PDB file of all heavy atoms in Angstrom:
ATOM      1  N   VAL C  24     160.425 -31.888 406.742  1.00  0.00           N
ATOM      2  CA  VAL C  24     159.200 -31.090 406.625  1.00  0.00           C
ATOM      3  C   VAL C  24     159.322 -30.119 405.455  1.00  0.00           C
ATOM      4  O   VAL C  24     158.358 -29.901 404.716  1.00  0.00           O
ATOM      5  CB  VAL C  24     158.890 -30.355 407.948  1.00  0.00           C
ATOM      6  CG1 VAL C  24     157.755 -29.366 407.779  1.00  0.00           C
ATOM      7  CG2 VAL C  24     158.556 -31.363 409.037  1.00  0.00           C
ATOM      8  N   GLY C  25     160.502 -29.563 405.246  1.00  0.00           N
ATOM      9  CA  GLY C  25     160.714 -28.665 404.108  1.00  0.00           C
ATOM     10  C   GLY C  25     160.473 -29.360 402.790  1.00  0.00           C
ATOM     11  O   GLY C  25     159.861 -28.804 401.883  1.00  0.00           O
ATOM     12  N   GLN C  26     160.949 -30.597 402.668  1.00  0.00           N
ATOM     13  CA  GLN C  26     160.727 -31.362 401.447  1.00  0.00           C
ATOM     14  C   GLN C  26     159.237 -31.639 401.244  1.00  0.00           C
ATOM     15  O   GLN C  26     158.722 -31.540 400.129  1.00  0.00           O
ATOM     16  CB  GLN C  26     161.483 -32.695 401.501  1.00  0.00           C
ATOM     17  CG  GLN C  26     162.979 -32.558 401.399  1.00  0.00           C
ATOM     18  CD  GLN C  26     163.413 -32.139 400.015  1.00  0.00           C
ATOM     19  OE1 GLN C  26     162.719 -32.355 399.038  1.00  0.00           O
ATOM     20  NE2 GLN C  26     164.571 -31.528 399.929  1.00  0.00           N
ATOM     21  N   LEU C  27     158.557 -31.997 402.312  1.00  0.00           N
ATOM     22  CA  LEU C  27     157.120 -32.262 402.202  1.00  0.00           C
ATOM     23  C   LEU C  27     156.359 -31.000 401.824  1.00  0.00           C
ATOM     24  O   LEU C  27     155.433 -31.045 401.012  1.00  0.00           O
ATOM     25  CB  LEU C  27     156.596 -32.834 403.519  1.00  0.00           C
ATOM     26  CG  LEU C  27     157.107 -34.231 403.882  1.00  0.00           C
ATOM     27  CD1 LEU C  27     156.692 -34.595 405.304  1.00  0.00           C
ATOM     28  CD2 LEU C  27     156.614 -35.260 402.897  1.00  0.00           C
ATOM     29  N   ARG C  28     156.745 -29.865 402.407  1.00  0.00           N
ATOM     30  CA  ARG C  28     156.089 -28.592 402.081  1.00  0.00           C
ATOM     31  C   ARG C  28     156.225 -28.274 400.604  1.00  0.00           C
ATOM     32  O   ARG C  28     155.262 -27.859 399.963  1.00  0.00           O
ATOM     33  CB  ARG C  28     156.728 -27.454 402.878  1.00  0.00           C
ATOM     34  CG  ARG C  28     156.121 -27.215 404.189  1.00  0.00           C
ATOM     35  CD  ARG C  28     156.653 -25.903 404.758  1.00  0.00           C
ATOM     36  NE  ARG C  28     156.453 -25.903 406.176  1.00  0.00           N
ATOM     37  CZ  ARG C  28     157.403 -25.852 407.082  1.00  0.00           C
ATOM     38  NH1 ARG C  28     158.661 -25.763 406.723  1.00  0.00           N
ATOM     39  NH2 ARG C  28     157.120 -25.858 408.360  1.00  0.00           N
ATOM     40  N   ARG C  29     157.444 -28.417 400.079  1.00  0.00           N
ATOM     41  CA  ARG C  29     157.674 -28.084 398.671  1.00  0.00           C
ATOM     42  C   ARG C  29     156.764 -28.871 397.748  1.00  0.00           C
ATOM     43  O   ARG C  29     156.287 -28.352 396.746  1.00  0.00           O
ATOM     44  CB  ARG C  29     159.132 -28.332 398.303  1.00  0.00           C
ATOM     45  CG  ARG C  29     159.992 -27.172 398.658  1.00  0.00           C
ATOM     46  CD  ARG C  29     161.420 -27.344 398.165  1.00  0.00           C
ATOM     47  NE  ARG C  29     162.273 -26.816 399.213  1.00  0.00           N
ATOM     48  CZ  ARG C  29     163.047 -27.549 400.003  1.00  0.00           C
ATOM     49  NH1 ARG C  29     163.146 -28.822 399.824  1.00  0.00           N
ATOM     50  NH2 ARG C  29     163.751 -26.991 400.950  1.00  0.00           N
ATOM     51  N   GLY C  30     156.520 -30.127 398.083  1.00  0.00           N
ATOM     52  CA  GLY C  30     155.676 -30.947 397.231  1.00  0.00           C
ATOM     53  C   GLY C  30     154.205 -30.605 397.302  1.00  0.00           C
ATOM     54  O   GLY C  30     153.458 -30.835 396.361  1.00  0.00           O
ATOM     55  N   ALA C  31     153.780 -30.020 398.420  1.00  0.00           N
ATOM     56  CA  ALA C  31     152.355 -29.763 398.610  1.00  0.00           C
ATOM     57  C   ALA C  31     151.983 -28.283 398.518  1.00  0.00           C
ATOM     58  O   ALA C  31     150.799 -27.952 398.514  1.00  0.00           O
ATOM     59  CB  ALA C  31     151.915 -30.307 399.975  1.00  0.00           C
ATOM     60  N   LEU C  32     152.961 -27.407 398.426  1.00  0.00           N
ATOM     61  CA  LEU C  32     152.668 -25.977 398.485  1.00  0.00           C
ATOM     62  C   LEU C  32     151.829 -25.484 397.309  1.00  0.00           C
ATOM     63  O   LEU C  32     150.860 -24.747 397.493  1.00  0.00           O
ATOM     64  CB  LEU C  32     153.965 -25.168 398.583  1.00  0.00           C
ATOM     65  CG  LEU C  32     153.798 -23.674 398.824  1.00  0.00           C
ATOM     66  CD1 LEU C  32     152.993 -23.417 400.093  1.00  0.00           C
ATOM     67  CD2 LEU C  32     155.149 -22.999 398.900  1.00  0.00           C
ATOM     68  N   GLU C  33     152.160 -25.917 396.102  1.00  0.00           N
ATOM     69  CA  GLU C  33     151.426 -25.442 394.926  1.00  0.00           C
ATOM     70  C   GLU C  33     149.927 -25.749 395.007  1.00  0.00           C
ATOM     71  O   GLU C  33     149.105 -24.846 394.846  1.00  0.00           O
ATOM     72  CB  GLU C  33     152.038 -26.024 393.659  1.00  0.00           C
ATOM     73  CG  GLU C  33     151.365 -25.544 392.397  1.00  0.00           C
ATOM     74  CD  GLU C  33     152.042 -26.090 391.157  1.00  0.00           C
ATOM     75  OE1 GLU C  33     153.263 -25.919 391.020  1.00  0.00           O
ATOM     76  OE2 GLU C  33     151.343 -26.686 390.319  1.00  0.00           O
ATOM     77  N   PRO C  34     149.533 -26.986 395.266  1.00  0.00           N
ATOM     78  CA  PRO C  34     148.095 -27.237 395.374  1.00  0.00           C
ATOM     79  C   PRO C  34     147.456 -26.532 396.566  1.00  0.00           C
ATOM     80  O   PRO C  34     146.284 -26.151 396.496  1.00  0.00           O
ATOM     81  CB  PRO C  34     147.980 -28.759 395.505  1.00  0.00           C
ATOM     82  CG  PRO C  34     149.349 -29.271 395.678  1.00  0.00           C
ATOM     83  CD  PRO C  34     150.307 -28.224 395.293  1.00  0.00           C
ATOM     84  N   CYS C  35     148.212 -26.324 397.644  1.00  0.00           N
ATOM     85  CA  CYS C  35     147.653 -25.593 398.780  1.00  0.00           C
ATOM     86  C   CYS C  35     147.384 -24.134 398.411  1.00  0.00           C
ATOM     87  O   CYS C  35     146.377 -23.563 398.818  1.00  0.00           O
ATOM     88  CB  CYS C  35     148.583 -25.687 399.989  1.00  0.00           C
ATOM     89  SG  CYS C  35     148.622 -27.332 400.735  1.00  0.00           S
ATOM     90  N   VAL C  36     148.290 -23.552 397.643  1.00  0.00           N
ATOM     91  CA  VAL C  36     148.086 -22.181 397.164  1.00  0.00           C
ATOM     92  C   VAL C  36     146.834 -22.126 396.298  1.00  0.00           C
ATOM     93  O   VAL C  36     145.981 -21.240 396.467  1.00  0.00           O
ATOM     94  CB  VAL C  36     149.326 -21.682 396.386  1.00  0.00           C
ATOM     95  CG1 VAL C  36     149.020 -20.418 395.596  1.00  0.00           C
ATOM     96  CG2 VAL C  36     150.486 -21.448 397.336  1.00  0.00           C
ATOM     97  N   LEU C  37     146.693 -23.076 395.386  1.00  0.00           N
ATOM     98  CA  LEU C  37     145.501 -23.102 394.534  1.00  0.00           C
ATOM     99  C   LEU C  37     144.235 -23.269 395.369  1.00  0.00           C
ATOM    100  O   LEU C  37     143.209 -22.633 395.085  1.00  0.00           O
ATOM    101  CB  LEU C  37     145.602 -24.234 393.509  1.00  0.00           C
ATOM    102  CG  LEU C  37     146.599 -24.032 392.372  1.00  0.00           C
ATOM    103  CD1 LEU C  37     146.708 -25.287 391.524  1.00  0.00           C
ATOM    104  CD2 LEU C  37     146.215 -22.827 391.519  1.00  0.00           C
ATOM    105  N   ALA C  38     144.289 -24.096 396.404  1.00  0.00           N
ATOM    106  CA  ALA C  38     143.110 -24.328 397.244  1.00  0.00           C
ATOM    107  C   ALA C  38     142.696 -23.057 397.983  1.00  0.00           C
ATOM    108  O   ALA C  38     141.500 -22.748 398.075  1.00  0.00           O
ATOM    109  CB  ALA C  38     143.389 -25.451 398.247  1.00  0.00           C
ATOM    110  N   VAL C  39     143.658 -22.303 398.484  1.00  0.00           N
ATOM    111  CA  VAL C  39     143.324 -21.053 399.186  1.00  0.00           C
ATOM    112  C   VAL C  39     142.728 -20.047 398.212  1.00  0.00           C
ATOM    113  O   VAL C  39     141.718 -19.396 398.505  1.00  0.00           O
ATOM    114  CB  VAL C  39     144.570 -20.466 399.900  1.00  0.00           C
ATOM    115  CG1 VAL C  39     144.282 -19.075 400.447  1.00  0.00           C
ATOM    116  CG2 VAL C  39     145.026 -21.401 401.019  1.00  0.00           C
ATOM    117  N   ILE C  40     143.333 -19.930 397.032  1.00  0.00           N
ATOM    118  CA  ILE C  40     142.830 -18.980 396.030  1.00  0.00           C
ATOM    119  C   ILE C  40     141.457 -19.416 395.524  1.00  0.00           C
ATOM    120  O   ILE C  40     140.612 -18.573 395.203  1.00  0.00           O
ATOM    121  CB  ILE C  40     143.839 -18.830 394.869  1.00  0.00           C
ATOM    122  CG1 ILE C  40     145.131 -18.203 395.393  1.00  0.00           C
ATOM    123  CG2 ILE C  40     143.266 -17.997 393.741  1.00  0.00           C
ATOM    124  CD1 ILE C  40     146.271 -18.203 394.393  1.00  0.00           C
ATOM    125  N   ALA C  41     141.209 -20.725 395.464  1.00  0.00           N
ATOM    126  CA  ALA C  41     139.908 -21.217 394.997  1.00  0.00           C
ATOM    127  C   ALA C  41     138.791 -20.821 395.950  1.00  0.00           C
ATOM    128  O   ALA C  41     137.649 -20.628 395.528  1.00  0.00           O
ATOM    129  CB  ALA C  41     139.945 -22.736 394.834  1.00  0.00           C
ATOM    130  N   GLN C  42     139.094 -20.691 397.242  1.00  0.00           N
ATOM    131  CA  GLN C  42     138.076 -20.288 398.220  1.00  0.00           C
ATOM    132  C   GLN C  42     137.630 -18.864 397.974  1.00  0.00           C
ATOM    133  O   GLN C  42     136.445 -18.560 398.057  1.00  0.00           O
ATOM    134  CB  GLN C  42     138.616 -20.436 399.637  1.00  0.00           C
ATOM    135  CG  GLN C  42     138.853 -21.876 400.042  1.00  0.00           C
ATOM    136  CD  GLN C  42     139.562 -21.985 401.381  1.00  0.00           C
ATOM    137  OE1 GLN C  42     139.796 -21.000 402.073  1.00  0.00           O
ATOM    138  NE2 GLN C  42     139.914 -23.208 401.738  1.00  0.00           N
ATOM    139  N   GLN C  43     138.598 -17.988 397.677  1.00  0.00           N
ATOM    140  CA  GLN C  43     138.287 -16.610 397.325  1.00  0.00           C
ATOM    141  C   GLN C  43     139.536 -15.960 396.757  1.00  0.00           C
ATOM    142  O   GLN C  43     140.648 -16.309 397.160  1.00  0.00           O
ATOM    143  CB  GLN C  43     137.776 -15.814 398.526  1.00  0.00           C
ATOM    144  CG  GLN C  43     138.821 -15.531 399.580  1.00  0.00           C
ATOM    145  CD  GLN C  43     138.258 -14.699 400.713  1.00  0.00           C
ATOM    146  OE1 GLN C  43     137.062 -14.716 400.963  1.00  0.00           O
ATOM    147  NE2 GLN C  43     139.105 -13.976 401.388  1.00  0.00           N
ATOM    148  N   PRO C  44     139.375 -15.033 395.807  1.00  0.00           N
ATOM    149  CA  PRO C  44     140.550 -14.333 395.290  1.00  0.00           C
ATOM    150  C   PRO C  44     141.286 -13.640 396.439  1.00  0.00           C
ATOM    151  O   PRO C  44     140.653 -13.118 397.371  1.00  0.00           O
ATOM    152  CB  PRO C  44     139.957 -13.304 394.325  1.00  0.00           C
ATOM    153  CG  PRO C  44     138.645 -13.897 393.922  1.00  0.00           C
ATOM    154  CD  PRO C  44     138.153 -14.629 395.137  1.00  0.00           C
ATOM    155  N   THR C  45     142.589 -13.666 396.394  1.00  0.00           N
ATOM    156  CA  THR C  45     143.370 -13.112 397.487  1.00  0.00           C
ATOM    157  C   THR C  45     144.647 -12.479 396.958  1.00  0.00           C
ATOM    158  O   THR C  45     145.084 -12.789 395.853  1.00  0.00           O
ATOM    159  CB  THR C  45     143.685 -14.204 398.536  1.00  0.00           C
ATOM    160  OG1 THR C  45     144.313 -13.629 399.654  1.00  0.00           O
ATOM    161  CG2 THR C  45     144.557 -15.294 397.970  1.00  0.00           C
ATOM    162  N   TYR C  46     145.236 -11.596 397.720  1.00  0.00           N
ATOM    163  CA  TYR C  46     146.492 -10.966 397.317  1.00  0.00           C
ATOM    164  C   TYR C  46     147.657 -11.664 398.025  1.00  0.00           C
ATOM    165  O   TYR C  46     147.470 -12.418 398.984  1.00  0.00           O
ATOM    166  CB  TYR C  46     146.477  -9.458 397.587  1.00  0.00           C
ATOM    167  CG  TYR C  46     146.310  -9.051 399.022  1.00  0.00           C
ATOM    168  CD1 TYR C  46     147.428  -8.697 399.789  1.00  0.00           C
ATOM    169  CD2 TYR C  46     145.057  -8.987 399.616  1.00  0.00           C
ATOM    170  CE1 TYR C  46     147.280  -8.314 401.109  1.00  0.00           C
ATOM    171  CE2 TYR C  46     144.908  -8.605 400.933  1.00  0.00           C
ATOM    172  CZ  TYR C  46     146.020  -8.263 401.676  1.00  0.00           C
ATOM    173  OH  TYR C  46     145.882  -7.886 402.982  1.00  0.00           O
ATOM    174  N   GLY C  47     148.853 -11.440 397.538  1.00  0.00           N
ATOM    175  CA  GLY C  47     150.026 -12.183 397.966  1.00  0.00           C
ATOM    176  C   GLY C  47     150.287 -12.199 399.459  1.00  0.00           C
ATOM    177  O   GLY C  47     150.516 -13.256 400.045  1.00  0.00           O
ATOM    178  N   LEU C  48     150.274 -11.034 400.099  1.00  0.00           N
ATOM    179  CA  LEU C  48     150.595 -10.972 401.525  1.00  0.00           C
ATOM    180  C   LEU C  48     149.557 -11.715 402.358  1.00  0.00           C
ATOM    181  O   LEU C  48     149.897 -12.430 403.303  1.00  0.00           O
ATOM    182  CB  LEU C  48     150.714  -9.523 401.991  1.00  0.00           C
ATOM    183  CG  LEU C  48     151.146  -9.325 403.436  1.00  0.00           C
ATOM    184  CD1 LEU C  48     152.493  -9.989 403.699  1.00  0.00           C
ATOM    185  CD2 LEU C  48     151.202  -7.839 403.774  1.00  0.00           C
ATOM    186  N   ASP C  49     148.291 -11.583 401.992  1.00  0.00           N
ATOM    187  CA  ASP C  49     147.235 -12.297 402.705  1.00  0.00           C
ATOM    188  C   ASP C  49     147.383 -13.811 402.511  1.00  0.00           C
ATOM    189  O   ASP C  49     147.195 -14.593 403.441  1.00  0.00           O
ATOM    190  CB  ASP C  49     145.865 -11.815 402.222  1.00  0.00           C
ATOM    191  CG  ASP C  49     144.746 -12.198 403.168  1.00  0.00           C
ATOM    192  OD1 ASP C  49     144.997 -12.256 404.394  1.00  0.00           O
ATOM    193  OD2 ASP C  49     143.625 -12.444 402.681  1.00  0.00           O
ATOM    194  N   LEU C  50     147.737 -14.214 401.317  1.00  0.00           N
ATOM    195  CA  LEU C  50     147.979 -15.618 401.025  1.00  0.00           C
ATOM    196  C   LEU C  50     149.159 -16.141 401.859  1.00  0.00           C
ATOM    197  O   LEU C  50     149.095 -17.227 402.440  1.00  0.00           O
ATOM    198  CB  LEU C  50     148.256 -15.788 399.532  1.00  0.00           C
ATOM    199  CG  LEU C  50     148.492 -17.182 398.999  1.00  0.00           C
ATOM    200  CD1 LEU C  50     147.304 -18.097 399.278  1.00  0.00           C
ATOM    201  CD2 LEU C  50     148.767 -17.119 397.509  1.00  0.00           C
ATOM    202  N   ALA C  51     150.223 -15.344 401.934  1.00  0.00           N
ATOM    203  CA  ALA C  51     151.391 -15.727 402.733  1.00  0.00           C
ATOM    204  C   ALA C  51     151.017 -15.887 404.201  1.00  0.00           C
ATOM    205  O   ALA C  51     151.444 -16.841 404.860  1.00  0.00           O
ATOM    206  CB  ALA C  51     152.502 -14.690 402.574  1.00  0.00           C
ATOM    207  N   ARG C  52     150.224 -14.991 404.717  1.00  0.00           N
ATOM    208  CA  ARG C  52     149.792 -15.083 406.125  1.00  0.00           C
ATOM    209  C   ARG C  52     148.980 -16.352 406.369  1.00  0.00           C
ATOM    210  O   ARG C  52     149.189 -17.062 407.342  1.00  0.00           O
ATOM    211  CB  ARG C  52     148.960 -13.862 406.508  1.00  0.00           C
ATOM    212  CG  ARG C  52     149.762 -12.626 406.723  1.00  0.00           C
ATOM    213  CD  ARG C  52     148.883 -11.481 407.201  1.00  0.00           C
ATOM    214  NE  ARG C  52     149.616 -10.230 407.165  1.00  0.00           N
ATOM    215  CZ  ARG C  52     149.141  -9.102 406.687  1.00  0.00           C
ATOM    216  NH1 ARG C  52     147.912  -9.034 406.211  1.00  0.00           N
ATOM    217  NH2 ARG C  52     149.880  -8.018 406.692  1.00  0.00           N
ATOM    218  N   THR C  53     148.045 -16.614 405.481  1.00  0.00           N
ATOM    219  CA  THR C  53     147.197 -17.799 405.621  1.00  0.00           C
ATOM    220  C   THR C  53     148.034 -19.072 405.622  1.00  0.00           C
ATOM    221  O   THR C  53     147.872 -19.934 406.485  1.00  0.00           O
ATOM    222  CB  THR C  53     146.159 -17.859 404.483  1.00  0.00           C
ATOM    223  OG1 THR C  53     145.346 -16.686 404.534  1.00  0.00           O
ATOM    224  CG2 THR C  53     145.278 -19.089 404.584  1.00  0.00           C
ATOM    225  N   LEU C  54     148.940 -19.185 404.680  1.00  0.00           N
ATOM    226  CA  LEU C  54     149.771 -20.385 404.580  1.00  0.00           C
ATOM    227  C   LEU C  54     150.751 -20.495 405.750  1.00  0.00           C
ATOM    228  O   LEU C  54     151.009 -21.592 406.246  1.00  0.00           O
ATOM    229  CB  LEU C  54     150.515 -20.402 403.251  1.00  0.00           C
ATOM    230  CG  LEU C  54     149.633 -20.535 402.009  1.00  0.00           C
ATOM    231  CD1 LEU C  54     150.442 -20.280 400.749  1.00  0.00           C
ATOM    232  CD2 LEU C  54     148.950 -21.885 401.960  1.00  0.00           C
ATOM    233  N   SER C  55     151.277 -19.368 406.200  1.00  0.00           N
ATOM    234  CA  SER C  55     152.195 -19.376 407.341  1.00  0.00           C
ATOM    235  C   SER C  55     151.489 -19.794 408.621  1.00  0.00           C
ATOM    236  O   SER C  55     152.030 -20.576 409.413  1.00  0.00           O
ATOM    237  CB  SER C  55     152.819 -17.994 407.541  1.00  0.00           C
ATOM    238  OG  SER C  55     153.650 -17.678 406.458  1.00  0.00           O
ATOM    239  N   GLU C  56     150.283 -19.284 408.824  1.00  0.00           N
ATOM    240  CA  GLU C  56     149.510 -19.647 410.017  1.00  0.00           C
ATOM    241  C   GLU C  56     149.236 -21.141 410.068  1.00  0.00           C
ATOM    242  O   GLU C  56     149.127 -21.721 411.142  1.00  0.00           O
ATOM    243  CB  GLU C  56     148.182 -18.888 410.049  1.00  0.00           C
ATOM    244  CG  GLU C  56     148.327 -17.420 410.366  1.00  0.00           C
ATOM    245  CD  GLU C  56     147.035 -16.643 410.130  1.00  0.00           C
ATOM    246  OE1 GLU C  56     146.003 -17.262 409.732  1.00  0.00           O
ATOM    247  OE2 GLU C  56     147.054 -15.409 410.324  1.00  0.00           O
ATOM    248  N   ARG C  57     149.132 -21.760 408.920  1.00  0.00           N
ATOM    249  CA  ARG C  57     148.846 -23.200 408.858  1.00  0.00           C
ATOM    250  C   ARG C  57     150.114 -24.046 408.778  1.00  0.00           C
ATOM    251  O   ARG C  57     150.036 -25.259 408.596  1.00  0.00           O
ATOM    252  CB  ARG C  57     147.931 -23.481 407.668  1.00  0.00           C
ATOM    253  CG  ARG C  57     146.584 -22.803 407.870  1.00  0.00           C
ATOM    254  CD  ARG C  57     145.665 -22.952 406.729  1.00  0.00           C
ATOM    255  NE  ARG C  57     144.430 -22.223 407.010  1.00  0.00           N
ATOM    256  CZ  ARG C  57     143.532 -21.937 406.110  1.00  0.00           C
ATOM    257  NH1 ARG C  57     143.689 -22.342 404.875  1.00  0.00           N
ATOM    258  NH2 ARG C  57     142.448 -21.270 406.439  1.00  0.00           N
ATOM    259  N   GLY C  58     151.268 -23.400 408.891  1.00  0.00           N
ATOM    260  CA  GLY C  58     152.532 -24.126 408.907  1.00  0.00           C
ATOM    261  C   GLY C  58     153.012 -24.603 407.556  1.00  0.00           C
ATOM    262  O   GLY C  58     153.845 -25.501 407.470  1.00  0.00           O
ATOM    263  N   LEU C  59     152.517 -23.994 406.476  1.00  0.00           N
ATOM    264  CA  LEU C  59     152.869 -24.446 405.133  1.00  0.00           C
ATOM    265  C   LEU C  59     153.886 -23.559 404.432  1.00  0.00           C
ATOM    266  O   LEU C  59     154.383 -23.918 403.372  1.00  0.00           O
ATOM    267  CB  LEU C  59     151.607 -24.533 404.268  1.00  0.00           C
ATOM    268  CG  LEU C  59     150.593 -25.572 404.727  1.00  0.00           C
ATOM    269  CD1 LEU C  59     149.287 -25.403 403.980  1.00  0.00           C
ATOM    270  CD2 LEU C  59     151.157 -26.970 404.540  1.00  0.00           C
ATOM    271  N   LEU C  60     154.194 -22.405 405.002  1.00  0.00           N
ATOM    272  CA  LEU C  60     155.097 -21.472 404.341  1.00  0.00           C
ATOM    273  C   LEU C  60     156.076 -20.914 405.355  1.00  0.00           C
ATOM    274  O   LEU C  60     155.669 -20.399 406.389  1.00  0.00           O
ATOM    275  CB  LEU C  60     154.289 -20.337 403.703  1.00  0.00           C
ATOM    276  CG  LEU C  60     155.049 -19.347 402.844  1.00  0.00           C
ATOM    277  CD1 LEU C  60     155.542 -20.024 401.565  1.00  0.00           C
ATOM    278  CD2 LEU C  60     154.162 -18.163 402.494  1.00  0.00           C
ATOM    279  N   GLU C  61     157.349 -21.033 405.041  1.00  0.00           N
ATOM    280  CA  GLU C  61     158.398 -20.510 405.920  1.00  0.00           C
ATOM    281  C   GLU C  61     158.715 -19.054 405.592  1.00  0.00           C
ATOM    282  O   GLU C  61     158.967 -18.269 406.476  1.00  0.00           O
ATOM    283  CB  GLU C  61     159.668 -21.351 405.790  1.00  0.00           C
ATOM    284  CG  GLU C  61     159.572 -22.674 406.508  1.00  0.00           C
ATOM    285  CD  GLU C  61     159.530 -22.518 408.022  1.00  0.00           C
ATOM    286  OE1 GLU C  61     160.357 -21.773 408.567  1.00  0.00           O
ATOM    287  OE2 GLU C  61     158.664 -23.146 408.641  1.00  0.00           O
ATOM    288  N   SER C  62     158.754 -18.716 404.294  1.00  0.00           N
ATOM    289  CA  SER C  62     159.078 -17.336 403.922  1.00  0.00           C
ATOM    290  C   SER C  62     158.330 -16.947 402.651  1.00  0.00           C
ATOM    291  O   SER C  62     158.012 -17.793 401.822  1.00  0.00           O
ATOM    292  CB  SER C  62     160.582 -17.172 403.718  1.00  0.00           C
ATOM    293  OG  SER C  62     160.953 -17.494 402.420  1.00  0.00           O
ATOM    294  N   GLU C  63     158.094 -15.664 402.532  1.00  0.00           N
ATOM    295  CA  GLU C  63     157.415 -15.147 401.342  1.00  0.00           C
ATOM    296  C   GLU C  63     158.268 -15.324 400.094  1.00  0.00           C
ATOM    297  O   GLU C  63     157.759 -15.332 398.984  1.00  0.00           O
ATOM    298  CB  GLU C  63     157.095 -13.665 401.513  1.00  0.00           C
ATOM    299  CG  GLU C  63     156.051 -13.372 402.547  1.00  0.00           C
ATOM    300  CD  GLU C  63     155.863 -11.875 402.728  1.00  0.00           C
ATOM    301  OE1 GLU C  63     155.902 -11.135 401.720  1.00  0.00           O
ATOM    302  OE2 GLU C  63     155.671 -11.457 403.876  1.00  0.00           O
ATOM    303  N   GLY C  64     159.558 -15.476 400.285  1.00  0.00           N
ATOM    304  CA  GLY C  64     160.478 -15.614 399.163  1.00  0.00           C
ATOM    305  C   GLY C  64     160.184 -16.812 398.277  1.00  0.00           C
ATOM    306  O   GLY C  64     160.548 -16.821 397.105  1.00  0.00           O
ATOM    307  N   THR C  65     159.538 -17.824 398.816  1.00  0.00           N
ATOM    308  CA  THR C  65     159.187 -18.982 397.993  1.00  0.00           C
ATOM    309  C   THR C  65     157.808 -18.821 397.359  1.00  0.00           C
ATOM    310  O   THR C  65     157.514 -19.463 396.356  1.00  0.00           O
ATOM    311  CB  THR C  65     159.194 -20.275 398.829  1.00  0.00           C
ATOM    312  OG1 THR C  65     158.302 -20.132 399.920  1.00  0.00           O
ATOM    313  CG2 THR C  65     160.580 -20.596 399.339  1.00  0.00           C
ATOM    314  N   LEU C  66     156.984 -17.966 397.928  1.00  0.00           N
ATOM    315  CA  LEU C  66     155.607 -17.830 397.442  1.00  0.00           C
ATOM    316  C   LEU C  66     155.522 -17.086 396.115  1.00  0.00           C
ATOM    317  O   LEU C  66     154.844 -17.538 395.189  1.00  0.00           O
ATOM    318  CB  LEU C  66     154.741 -17.123 398.494  1.00  0.00           C
ATOM    319  CG  LEU C  66     153.298 -16.883 398.086  1.00  0.00           C
ATOM    320  CD1 LEU C  66     152.581 -18.202 397.843  1.00  0.00           C
ATOM    321  CD2 LEU C  66     152.583 -16.065 399.152  1.00  0.00           C
ATOM    322  N   TYR C  67     156.186 -15.957 395.997  1.00  0.00           N
ATOM    323  CA  TYR C  67     156.003 -15.129 394.805  1.00  0.00           C
ATOM    324  C   TYR C  67     156.541 -15.785 393.531  1.00  0.00           C
ATOM    325  O   TYR C  67     155.879 -15.705 392.480  1.00  0.00           O
ATOM    326  CB  TYR C  67     156.567 -13.724 395.036  1.00  0.00           C
ATOM    327  CG  TYR C  67     155.693 -12.968 396.010  1.00  0.00           C
ATOM    328  CD1 TYR C  67     156.053 -12.838 397.347  1.00  0.00           C
ATOM    329  CD2 TYR C  67     154.473 -12.441 395.606  1.00  0.00           C
ATOM    330  CE1 TYR C  67     155.228 -12.174 398.250  1.00  0.00           C
ATOM    331  CE2 TYR C  67     153.639 -11.778 396.494  1.00  0.00           C
ATOM    332  CZ  TYR C  67     154.023 -11.652 397.816  1.00  0.00           C
ATOM    333  OH  TYR C  67     153.205 -11.002 398.703  1.00  0.00           O
ATOM    334  N   PRO C  68     157.672 -16.473 393.557  1.00  0.00           N
ATOM    335  CA  PRO C  68     158.063 -17.223 392.340  1.00  0.00           C
ATOM    336  C   PRO C  68     157.058 -18.318 391.993  1.00  0.00           C
ATOM    337  O   PRO C  68     156.781 -18.562 390.820  1.00  0.00           O
ATOM    338  CB  PRO C  68     159.427 -17.820 392.703  1.00  0.00           C
ATOM    339  CG  PRO C  68     159.956 -16.941 393.786  1.00  0.00           C
ATOM    340  CD  PRO C  68     158.750 -16.474 394.555  1.00  0.00           C
TER     341      PRO C  68
END
């Protein structure tokens, strides 16, 4: 699942931001709630 997440995380981030501008912590919460993000440490880079 970690390998699959890594491959799909970038476009998922773009899709969330495309819906509306968002800040990092809110983006992390959204992705975590949907099971796409394990830690914020991968999001900010």
Side-chain angles (χ1 to χ4, degrees):
V24 171
Q26 290 290 336
L27 293 171
R28 271 191 200 118
R29 276 186 219 109
L32 187 57
E33 182 177 306
C35 289
V36 166
L37 288 174
V39 171
I40 295 171
Q42 293 172 6
Q43 70 178 25
T45 186
Y46 61 99
L48 184 58
D49 197 32
L50 182 59
R52 284 184 191 135
T53 300
L54 294 169
S55 294
E56 288 169 1
R57 296 176 182 166
L59 295 169
L60 186 68
E61 284 292 312
S62 87
E63 292 176 39
T65 57
L66 178 62
Y67 289 101

